[in-house]
Amino acid sequence: MSKHFSKTEFEYPVHRICGKISRKSKVVHRCTPSGKFITYLQGERNLVAHPVTQAELDRRTAFKTRQALVAARLEKTATTYATDMAAYRAQYATGYKSFTKYLWAQVMADETAD
């Protein structure tokens, strides 16, 4: 298998495809935000060729921590729920359209402020 993703171009009648062609397919077609298309194979990770790095473990730990903070603030019994909901509603017209996304942004902002 190649180390780099292959670039894919589609011919008529397909103009764009993102995701899998079928549920059982291991080939994934990804549309990037820059407008490019890449194709890769999905499957189990080869831990010998691509071992888990310390940076990856750190990212996983940080995500788990953030997710737990967001989940705790999403609970209606949380002490900050009423304040968070009021702030979310106040910014709704110009900001985040989902309460969960709003809380994620708040957790990330709190983390960078520390």
Side-chain angles (χ1 to χ4, degrees):
M1 183 183 347
S2 168
K3 287 185 180 181
H4 305 287
F5 297 129
S6 62
K7 293 182 179 172
T8 305
E9 291 184 28
F10 298 98
E11 296 293 330
Y12 177 82
V14 177
H15 297 283
R16 174 181 218 135
I17 184 169
C18 297
K20 292 181 170 186
I21 301 242
S22 71
R23 214 178 251 179
K24 294 181 181 182
S25 175
K26 290 187 177 191
V27 179
V28 179
H29 303 280
R30 182 165 175 242
C31 302
T32 64
S34 63
K36 295 183 179 179
F37 305 101
I38 57 174
T39 303
Y40 59 91
L41 293 175
Q42 184 180 38
E44 280 191 43
R45 180 175 178 175
N46 181 346
L47 293 173
V48 174
H50 305 284
V52 177
T53 64
Q54 187 59 45
E56 185 178 353
L57 291 173
D58 294 344
R59 286 190 300 270
R60 288 179 185 180
T61 303
F63 179 81
K64 264 187 196 176
T65 304
R66 292 176 193 139
Q67 192 279 329
L69 289 171
V70 170
R73 288 174 74 168
L74 273 171
E75 291 292 323
K76 291 184 179 183
T77 57
T79 57
T80 60
Y81 185 82
T83 309
D84 286 338
M85 184 56 78
Y88 165 69
R89 287 184 177 151
Q91 65 80 49
Y92 183 82
T94 58
Y96 297 96
K97 303 298 181 196
S98 154
F99 186 49
T100 304
K101 286 182 182 180
Y102 172 76
L103 288 179
W104 270 97
Q106 296 308 305
V107 167
M108 296 296 286
D110 291 347
E111 191 173 276
T112 57
D114 291 341

